[in-house]
Every structure is written in structure tokens, then in C-alpha cells.
Amino acid sequence: MDTDTASRPTLADVAARAGVSPSTASLAFSGTGPVSGATREKVLAAAKELHYAGPDPRARSLRRGRSGIVGVVIDERVSEAFRDPVNIAMLDGVAEAIGEIDAAMLLLTGTTGSDTPVSLETAPLDAVVLFGCSPTLERSVALLTQRGIPAVVIEGDAGDDVPEIALDNREATRLGAEHLRELGHERVAIVALPLEPSRARGPLTAARVDASTVETAIERARGAWDVFPDARGVVTAASYVEEGVIAGRELLGDGGGGDRPTAIIAQSDLLAAGVIRAAEELGLTVPGDVSVVGFDGVAVDGLDYDLTTLSQPSQAKGRAAGDAVVRMLAGERPESVRFTSTFHRGGTTAPPRA
Amino acid sequence: MDTDTASRPTLADVAARAGVSPSTASLAFSGTGPVSGATREKVLAAAKELHYAGPDPRARSLRRGRSGIVGVVIDERVSEAFRDPVNIAMLDGVAEAIGEIDAAMLLLTGTTGSDTPVSLETAPLDAVVLFGCSPTLERSVALLTQRGIPAVVIEGDAGDDVPEIALDNREATRLGAEHLRELGHERVAIVALPLEPSRARGPLTAARVDASTVETAIERARGAWDVFPDARGVVTAASYVEEGVIAGRELLGDGGGGDRPTAIIAQSDLLAAGVIRAAEELGLTVPGDVSVVGFDGVAVDGLDYDLTTLSQPSQAKGRAAGDAVVRMLAGERPESVRFTSTFHRGGTTAPPRA
DNA sequence: TATCTTAGTCGAATCGATTCGATCGAATCG
DNA sequence: CGATTCGATCGAATCGATTCGACTAAGATA
């Protein structure tokens, strides 16, 4: 019935039906500018009659130059990235912050295509938060600056004028290491986060660290070495509990004869949880036979220990990234932020067995 | 240098510099239509010189009528929704499916505003996947049909012509319950998922179930009651391990004298893990003193038991939803899909103590 | 009463790309 | 050799809303 033109009605249709000009109809909808109550009513009524669902976001964003969408780039597939609660907490923080300007998050996986992530170059983004993903990072930032899209990086060096949300990874880890030294530990091993995009497992060597681009893992390794320069270690393939188990078995297993470490510094709580499980498997007690220090301060579901760890404010980091984005969209040029972790002495560390 | 006009160059600028018409430049970029190699080169060169980063997605999507964005609606805040691996797996499935048409996911939290989620009405969405979120569901679907945006619902009844990705919740739970009965259990209790948007804890009553709109919880409760009509139970506030602990304490604690259940049917693996932990806390052994059945078949990090559960294909469900979206965008009208769970007999169920 | 506001509306340009139909030249065919 | 065709390119309309400047009356002021 009525003047339905098969396709969705447009603002112009509504305006025509209400007997006003499109401009007035627009004003009536957006609330900007002076419009008499009567006119607004008329327009709204016409809209209702025509089943008009509001301005087309595509047209609106073209005209306004804003889409209300903030991209979030994670360089793994969704299921992998979100297994670590740290990432979820950060995502939550971002969501909270940008929610205040009614923006939403577009989830982009860095490794979509072969070369450059398709969506990063083609999505209608107002800004982007990069989850410290080293491999793609450089390319991504270059792409974004060319497109003129503001970006913020969480844990990762993007150089020049990209605000960075950082953490005191090295200092924090050093704190944990010093705690172990004070307890009397000398043979300490490291369980490291992946160092390369390839996520190859293997021994943790200085050379490999130098060649890496994953700031987080690098800094945490250095922090441990600051206190125990000779600490050996293994690199895992991901921040999962199972990976921690694998690493733990290798470090604590029969292999090394008398040089079994008396303490292990894990670069994430999930890894730490895995190490503990591996220790239990091998009949070792924690912290009696081996002390374990984690990183993150997340509650690892199902872990029966109060983990000694370095708590980082994950949600706040995401929040800060989101805030930075909001400010950039407001034309400001936010500073980089550096968060600090706090040492939490739990029940997984004790003096080494005499 | 050159003819830089302060703002970002447009396709027209590039065309002008290359000495061709905008139409030709567009053709050269999109690869559609016949363009001589030489011309294409010229255009691309001009683009490079002007630092043109490709067509503006906003303009493109206005013209094309597609934005390449699929909304995913979860009705909790991000940090809550993603604590359950089931949701992550589903999200991953959706990402995988829509990735094939180079679309990305816009994460929308249903409860953004007070009334209707702002973004659902204003975001440039090509389609939407609703994660069975009962409270908002009806409103959301209405909104989307009005806007003419295709939608798919995972676990939730959206009525008429919205494809649904369902699961055999009732039948599957019944299977688990029958397993318990065969083992000889008679006093069985249920730990249920939240029944209302308010997420209120409390006893599980038939009345409350009837009043609920959360299909998943309802069906799973009915499945249990099919076998144990008198089973009592408690409703939790979320699918977390801690909630399971709370529920477990209540059901297994001293309170009920001799009527302590010999088996518990939890509506999710996380809840089951919590129940097990509560049992251990209370000095009960699993499955010696109490048997526990879960639902989902996810690996609960840190749970030392091989949980008896009903494995559902979470990732496949997400994948199916994504595929349905892709098909709808291609103009098809995909059927609803119903997945089935498989019973996994683990080590958390045994005959009741004589 | 004449002039100055000012609230309310409207026209028209604009955002940046896509696309359909038209045009023009060259190559092919009868 | 004239006619047909096909490939390459261009013009102009279009997608749907926003916004700036102009215009009209009605009310305020002198």
C-alpha cells in the first residue's frame, strides 16, 4: 500500500510523505538544529508509516567521514587469541572505552590473507587497536598511516607517532626473579612465550631472543636474565596450559640429571599452570621441589594453587588503548602509557630444598 | 609537493593525475571491466605517487550496498561471554565461515544501552549472527527485519523466517541422565545455566523454567527431568567454574542431611568443573561419592578429570551460522540446522556408593 | 510603523566511488 | 572497400544522507 517503491524507503521518501524537505527531515532525525515540535512529529509519523528504520549508516558514514567502528587486530585466529584471559580482559577494556562514543569493535585477524590483511585495507575503520602482533605490526601500521587511520598499539613498538600501551615487562620479571634469588634459588629456568610468528618450540637462546620481534617475550626474558644470566629455558608455541605442560616436562623431566632447575619463571600464568601440572605429573611438589612464578595475575580456572605471579592490569590496558583511540578521534594526540605490574607472593614459591 | 590538497587524495585525483576519467580509474582498481594494461599501469603509478590508499570503504559500501561487515551479538559484556570456551569456539567458527567472503565480525554487546543496542540500529551491517540471547532477541530480530538485514540465531527461537542453529539439548541431556540411571543413581540434582537476563541464582523450579526464555537452559533442564522428574536443582548466575563451585557447595553441603544427591547434572562443563571442585572441598570423591555429568565437551583448563559430558560441536555451530549468513547474502534462504551432541563417558561417573 | 532579530525551512552542493549506456577508433569480415 | 564488431574509455547519473548558506515570516525593539 501507499507509495512503496519495492526497496527500502529513504529519508527523502519520508520527507516527501511528511511534506517537508529532506534537509528538514534530516534535522528532525538527528536532533541537530532548530526544528519545531510539530514538524518533528510529522516526520517521525511519516517514518513510522513507511517503516523507515532510520538513516542508512553507509550514507551517513560517507557524509560524516566516520563509521563508528574501531578495528581490533589480533594476529591469531579467534579461538587461539581468546584462550588467554589476558587478551579477553584487554578486549573488554577496549570495548568499555570505545562504547562511550558508541563505537563498536571490528575483530580483525591479522593473518587473514597471505600478505596483508584484507580487511585492514578495506574496512570502514575510524581507528585501530593493534594487539602487539609483531609479524604484521610494521606492515599494518604503514598501511594505516597511509590510509590516515589513527592506531594504538598494545605491547609492541610501532615507532614514531603511534601511541603505545606498554607494560614494565622486564622490570616486573626481574622482580619475580629477585624474589627467587632471595629465597636462595640458583638453578632457574625460563618458560617463554612464542618468539616468532612461526611459533616454533625450542630452546631459549640469547641469539633467538635478539632475532625476535615479540617485545613482550623478549623483555620478560631479559628481566629474568638480569638476575640469572645463565638461566636456560624453552620457548613455547602459545600461551596455553598444555604448552606449559610440555615445557615443564622438558625442563623437569629426567633428561638433565642433577641440573634440574629448582625454580621456573613462566612468562604467563597459563604456562605456569602447565608447568605446575607437569611437575605434579613427575611426582614433584610445588613449591617443595620446584618453585613456579607466573605472569599476568589472571585467575587460571581450575588451578588449585595461589600462584606467585606478577599481576598486570589487563583490563586497564585495554581501557587505556580504547581511551587513546577516543582521544585521537577527538583530535588529540594521546601520550603513550606504561603500566606497571605488581608482585603477588602466592604459595608456589619457597626456598629450594637443601 | 605535487597537487596535494591537504586532505586524502580521492580516486578522482588519481584519475586526473593519470590523465584518465574517474570511471576508468575505478575500473583499473577494481579489476572489473576491460582496461588496457598500459592504462592500468598509469593509474596505479599515479596512485602510488599520490599515496592513494585505495577506494574509500565508506563510499564504496554506499554505492555497492554492502559493507563487508557481519555483526555478532552477545548479550553480556565481552569479558563475560568469552569466559566460556563454547562461545569462543562458536565465534571462531563464524569468523572462519564469513572470512571466505572477506567479511569481518563486528562485536556487538546486546546490552549496550538501556533499550535497544545502539549499534544494532546504526552500524553498517550486511547481516547479523545472534548468540541466543533471549532478552534482547525479540527486539533485535524485529529491528533487523525492519532494517532489512538478514539474521541467524544460534540457540534461540526467533520465530518465522530466521534460520536457527540449534542443538539437541533436551535429548542429549536425557542421554546423560539415562547413563546415570543405568548406573543406579536415584537422587540426582541439576546445576542449571542462568534462566533470566537478571541472572539470579536460586532454586530450579518448574515454574521458573516455564517462565524462562533461555532455550538452552530450559531444554537441558527438561531433558534431565525426563529421566528424573523429581530432580531438584539450583540456577547459577553464569557459566563459570566459580558458579559451579557455589552451586556444588549448596547441593553437596551439610544442609540436606541424608538427601545429598549421588549425582549431579551440570548444564555446562565449566559448571561441572566447579561442582567437582566443591565436592573435593567438602571431602567428597568424584566419582566415588558423587558422579558429575557436564555439557559441552570443552577442555576445561586445569581440570584433572576426564569429564563425563555431552560434546557439542561448538565450532561447527559457529561455522554453520557463518555459512548461513554467507548464503543469505548470496540471496539464498538457508534452512535451520540442528546439531547433535555425542555422549562421552569419562571418569566422573560411577555407580552410587552402596 | 519601520527595522532588526531569530526560529524554522528549504535548495543545492557534497561525501567518494561505482556503473550503465554512449562513444570512438581500430581491427575483422564479407 | 564499406560495414560490423569488439575493446577501451569516458560522461553522467546514482547511492542516501548531511550541512551550509539563503530565505521567510513572526515577534521584539525603537
Side-chain angles (χ1 to χ4, degrees):
Chain A
M1 53 215 84
D2 299 276
T3 31
D4 43 5
T5 45
S7 58
R8 302 279 126 208
T10 73
L11 186 55
D13 297 335
V14 174
R17 195 157 199 336
V20 300
S21 75
S23 15
T24 304
S26 174
L27 273 321
F29 259 98
S30 66
T32 328
V35 179
S36 76
T39 308
R40 189 194 318 284
E41 291 305 318
K42 263 195 307 186
V43 174
L44 263 38
K48 191 141 292 175
E49 287 168 25
L50 261 48
H51 299 297
Y52 178 70
D56 184 322
R58 290 178 283 260
R60 180 207 286 272
S61 73
L62 169 58
R63 189 64 240 258
R64 293 236 246 235
R66 285 279 169 83
S67 64
I69 296 179
V70 174
V72 172
V73 179
I74 53 183
D75 72 338
E76 302 152 283
R77 62 181 301 163
V78 174
S79 62
E80 286 163 8
F82 293 158
R83 264 174 77 168
D84 195 325
V86 171
N87 289 327
I88 297 179
M90 292 197 294
L91 196 71
D92 188 61
V94 174
E96 184 182 299
I98 67 170
E100 282 168 19
I101 55 167
D102 278 335
M105 296 184 303
L106 191 68
L107 229 46
L108 302 172
T109 49
T111 46
T112 304
S114 46
D115 211 19
T116 317
V118 188
S119 330
L120 253 198
E121 24 180 37
T122 59
L125 303 169
D126 288 347
V128 171
V129 175
L130 295 149
F131 274 42
C133 31
S134 45
T136 358
L137 194 58
E138 217 168 320
R139 290 188 56 79
S140 302
V141 171
L143 187 63
L144 291 170
T145 45
Q146 180 169 24
R147 278 188 64 189
I149 297 176
V152 176
V153 177
I154 298 185
E155 302 235 9
D157 185 18
D160 45 335
D161 39 26
V162 176
E164 227 180 289
I165 310 300
L167 188 65
D168 59 341
N169 286 302
R170 183 166 187 169
E171 294 78 355
T173 307
R174 192 188 300 146
L175 233 57
E178 278 164 359
H179 164 66
L180 290 175
R181 189 175 53 187
E182 279 161 22
L183 288 172
H185 291 276
E186 285 172 357
R187 286 201 314 284
V188 172
I190 301 167
V191 174
L193 293 166
L195 282 172
E196 302 104 17
S198 68
R199 305 178 166 274
R201 297 200 189 94
L204 177 72
T205 63
R208 201 166 158 197
V209 167
D210 289 340
S212 170
T213 53
V214 183
E215 286 297 318
T216 312
I218 298 172
E219 292 299 302
R220 292 186 191 172
R222 298 218 168 111
W225 281 333
D226 282 345
V227 180
F228 299 104
D230 303 323
R232 64 200 187 90
V234 295
V235 179
T236 61
S239 180
Y240 301 160
V241 174
E242 300 99 275
E243 284 292 326
V245 173
I246 295 173
R249 282 188 196 129
E250 184 171 336
L251 291 170
L252 300 172
D254 49 14
D259 68 344
R260 176 180 358 107
T262 60
I264 289 185
I265 297 176
Q267 293 190 346
S268 85
D269 283 352
L270 293 186
L271 291 175
V275 168
I276 292 176
R277 199 180 307 167
E280 290 177 337
E281 245 180 53
L282 293 164
L284 302 172
T285 63
V286 176
D289 296 312
V290 57
S291 290
V292 178
V293 176
F295 203 114
D296 288 342
V298 300
V300 181
D301 254 0
L303 181 66
D304 268 343
Y305 294 83
D306 173 22
L307 192 62
T308 295
T309 193
L310 290 136
S311 299
Q312 63 157 312
S314 315
Q315 212 262 357
K317 273 165 63 188
R319 171 89 217 192
D323 284 337
V325 158
V326 170
R327 291 228 288 287
M328 290 179 94
L329 290 176
E332 298 174 43
R333 212 198 147 294
E335 294 292 310
S336 290
V337 186
R338 184 183 168 87
F339 283 90
T340 57
S341 317
T342 58
F343 177 73
H344 166 75
R345 174 159 193 181
T348 57
T349 46
R353 190 148 284 179
Chain B
M1 50 217 88
D2 298 276
T3 31
D4 43 5
T5 45
S7 58
R8 303 278 126 208
T10 73
L11 185 55
D13 297 334
V14 174
R17 195 155 196 340
V20 300
S21 76
S23 15
T24 305
S26 174
L27 273 321
F29 260 97
S30 66
T32 328
V35 179
S36 77
T39 309
R40 189 194 318 284
E41 291 305 318
K42 264 194 307 184
V43 173
L44 262 38
K48 191 142 293 175
E49 287 169 24
L50 260 49
H51 299 296
Y52 178 71
D56 185 321
R58 289 178 283 259
R60 180 207 288 269
S61 73
L62 169 59
R63 188 67 240 257
R64 295 236 243 236
R66 284 279 169 84
S67 63
I69 295 179
V70 173
V72 172
V73 180
I74 53 183
D75 73 337
E76 302 153 284
R77 63 180 303 163
V78 174
S79 61
E80 286 163 9
F82 293 158
R83 266 172 77 168
D84 196 326
V86 171
N87 289 328
I88 297 180
M90 291 197 295
L91 195 71
D92 188 60
V94 175
E96 183 181 300
I98 67 171
E100 282 168 19
I101 56 166
D102 277 334
M105 297 184 303
L106 190 68
L107 227 47
L108 301 172
T109 49
T111 46
T112 304
S114 46
D115 212 19
T116 319
V118 188
S119 331
L120 252 197
E121 25 181 35
T122 59
L125 304 169
D126 288 348
V128 170
V129 175
L130 295 150
F131 274 43
C133 28
S134 45
T136 358
L137 194 59
E138 217 169 320
R139 292 188 55 80
S140 302
V141 171
L143 187 62
L144 291 170
T145 44
Q146 179 169 25
R147 280 188 62 189
I149 297 176
V152 175
V153 177
I154 298 185
E155 301 236 10
D157 184 18
D160 44 335
D161 38 25
V162 177
E164 226 179 289
I165 310 300
L167 187 66
D168 60 341
N169 286 303
R170 183 167 188 168
E171 294 78 355
T173 306
R174 192 188 300 146
L175 235 55
E178 278 163 0
H179 163 66
L180 290 175
R181 188 175 51 190
E182 280 160 22
L183 288 172
H185 289 274
E186 286 172 355
R187 285 200 313 284
V188 172
I190 301 168
V191 174
L193 292 167
L195 281 172
E196 302 104 17
S198 68
R199 306 178 165 273
R201 297 199 188 94
L204 177 72
T205 63
R208 203 167 155 194
V209 167
D210 288 341
S212 170
T213 53
V214 183
E215 286 298 319
T216 312
I218 298 171
E219 292 300 303
R220 293 186 191 172
R222 298 220 168 108
W225 281 332
D226 282 344
V227 180
F228 299 105
D230 303 323
R232 64 198 187 92
V234 295
V235 179
T236 61
S239 180
Y240 302 160
V241 174
E242 298 99 276
E243 285 292 325
V245 173
I246 295 173
R249 281 188 197 132
E250 184 171 338
L251 291 170
L252 300 172
D254 50 13
D259 68 344
R260 172 172 10 101
T262 60
I264 290 185
I265 297 176
Q267 292 191 347
S268 85
D269 283 353
L270 292 186
L271 291 175
V275 168
I276 292 176
R277 198 180 309 165
E280 289 177 338
E281 243 181 54
L282 293 164
L284 301 172
T285 63
V286 175
D289 296 312
V290 56
S291 289
V292 178
V293 177
F295 203 114
D296 287 344
V298 301
V300 180
D301 254 0
L303 181 67
D304 268 343
Y305 294 82
D306 173 21
L307 193 62
T308 294
T309 192
L310 291 135
S311 299
Q312 64 157 310
S314 315
Q315 212 262 358
K317 272 166 62 189
R319 171 90 217 190
D323 285 338
V325 158
V326 170
R327 292 228 287 286
M328 289 180 95
L329 290 177
E332 299 174 43
R333 212 197 147 296
E335 294 292 312
S336 291
V337 186
R338 183 183 170 89
F339 284 91
T340 57
S341 317
T342 59
F343 177 72
H344 166 75
R345 171 156 194 184
T348 57
T349 45
R353 192 147 283 178

